[in-house]
Every structure is written in C-alpha cells, then in structure tokens.
Amino acid sequence: MFDTNRLINRSFIETDFQIWKSAHLCVLPKQNDFDDAMISKEKLTKDFFDKIRETDRVQAEIDHTYTFYSFSKDENILVGGSQLWSVQRHECQRATLGFWVFNNHWRKGYGLEIAWGTILFGFNILKLNRIEAEILPENKPSIALCEKLGMTSEGIRREALQIDGKWRDHVVYSILKSDLDHN
C-alpha cells in the first residue's frame, strides 16, 4: 500500500465491491484502441470481484505481481490502478510496470501520479533495481507518460506480448534506482 498526493493505492478489500462495480458502470464507451479497462456488466458480480482479490493476493504472496487499485482520497472512488508484474529477483531485481486510469478520469494527472507512486514503491519497498514498461508503439499517450516519468526508451522488443491472440511489438522504457539517486 502507498499514498500519493490525491490517491490511496492498495489491494482490494472485501468491502470495495460496490466501489469497484460503480467504477466500471461509470466508464465511458471505449475512447481509443488502448482503452481496455471496461468489464462487461455480466462480470460485475461479487464472485468475479472475489476471484480478482484472490488472484491478486496469491500473486503478491509468491512475489510475482503486485496490483494496486487507486482510490481518490476526496471522493473514495476508484480511478485506476497499477501493477508491478513479472518480478524477478536474485541478480535481476526488476519488474514490469503497468498502469491504467478509467477513461472518465482521463486528463486529470492520475496516470502520472499512479505510475510514479508505483515506481517509488518498487524501488523503496520491493528493493528493485530496474522497472520497465512495455508499450505498443502507437500508444502515444502512454509513451508520453513514460517520458514524463523520466524513463529511458530502449527500443523495440519484437513480439513481446500477445494481445488478442496476436504477437505484438512493444517499445521498452526503463528507469533505474540509480536514476533517482542522481536527481
């Protein structure tokens, strides 16, 4: 768990079900190809929510993926979230950053706040040395956000992730713990 200026970022708890459901019901229709935060109304059940909670718990317990949900401190609404996934230890000490903001909360600076807080958590709490982000080359808003975070572009990772059954190239960005130490 970590706080940022306007957000509490934490795992879901059982009583978050209605907040989670309401957040998904308030999402606007899909705005672009990268807008994939919608869950169908049929899946907005307590059982589905509980499965998300259990998966998140198990993944953190085995030190593989840490998922955070970002709640507005002022309104106690869910605005987005983040992950540090594919955590690697021993000689590596790295993870991949993922972040999202529900489209009805875009253009409010939440993405930058969520991603930066997650990076700090990764370095300060998980003791990572390197955090990467893999972004579709045409996803200009996420690329711009990585650049605002001070992440460095390292080029294209060919067929890095499978999306909708198709292997897709991704631009790789990274930030190192030592990058923060030099600022």
Side-chain angles (χ1 to χ4, degrees):
M1 177 177 151
F2 60 92
D3 286 2
T4 61
N5 186 37
R6 299 175 293 164
L7 302 169
I8 297 169
N9 304 273
R10 59 172 174 76
S11 301
F12 280 140
I13 57 176
E14 188 171 349
T15 56
D16 289 332
F17 171 67
Q18 287 301 330
I19 295 170
W20 169 80
K21 183 176 179 178
S22 177
H24 285 282
L25 291 172
C26 292
V27 171
L28 302 173
K30 187 172 179 155
Q31 304 292 303
N32 60 43
D33 290 341
F34 317 108
D35 186 4
D36 58 0
M38 280 185 84
I39 296 177
S40 67
K41 289 181 181 178
E42 298 78 36
K43 288 187 177 178
L44 295 177
T45 65
K46 181 75 164 75
D47 185 53
F48 189 76
F49 176 78
D50 289 341
K51 287 177 184 173
I52 292 169
R53 288 183 56 232
E54 180 62 11
T55 299
D56 291 349
R57 184 193 65 75
V58 168
Q59 289 297 303
E61 190 174 278
I62 63 172
D63 195 34
H64 184 270
T65 301
Y66 295 85
T67 302
F68 303 99
Y69 300 95
S70 303
F71 296 85
S72 166
K73 289 179 181 177
D74 292 340
E75 302 174 75
N76 195 33
I77 57 172
L78 181 62
V79 300
S82 62
Q83 286 185 324
L84 287 168
W85 57 278
S86 196
V87 174
Q88 296 177 327
R89 295 298 186 177
H90 308 292
E91 293 84 9
C92 294
Q93 298 302 327
R94 67 179 170 216
T96 301
L97 171 69
F99 50 86
W100 66 94
V101 176
F102 290 114
N103 63 16
N104 54 318
H105 297 291
W106 285 0
R107 311 284 181 260
K108 298 177 184 176
Y110 287 129
L112 187 65
E113 191 171 333
I114 290 167
W116 184 246
T118 307
I119 288 169
L120 292 177
F121 179 89
F123 289 142
N124 297 330
I125 305 302
L126 297 181
K127 304 300 183 199
L128 299 173
N129 179 62
R130 175 185 173 88
I131 296 174
E132 300 176 353
E134 295 181 354
I135 303 165
L136 289 166
E138 59 272 20
N139 188 344
K140 303 301 183 201
S142 289
I143 288 172
L145 190 137
C146 285
E147 291 172 354
K148 282 183 187 176
L149 290 166
M151 298 181 88
T152 301
S153 175
E154 295 185 339
I156 299 287
R157 185 169 287 151
R158 298 178 326 132
E159 296 186 3
L161 294 171
Q162 193 176 69
I163 299 173
D164 296 327
K166 182 180 175 189
W167 288 102
R168 303 285 304 273
D169 295 349
H170 282 68
V171 180
V172 177
Y173 277 82
S174 70
I175 190 165
L176 308 176
K177 173 72 169 111
S178 61
D179 293 338
L180 301 186
D181 296 340
H182 296 301
N183 291 332

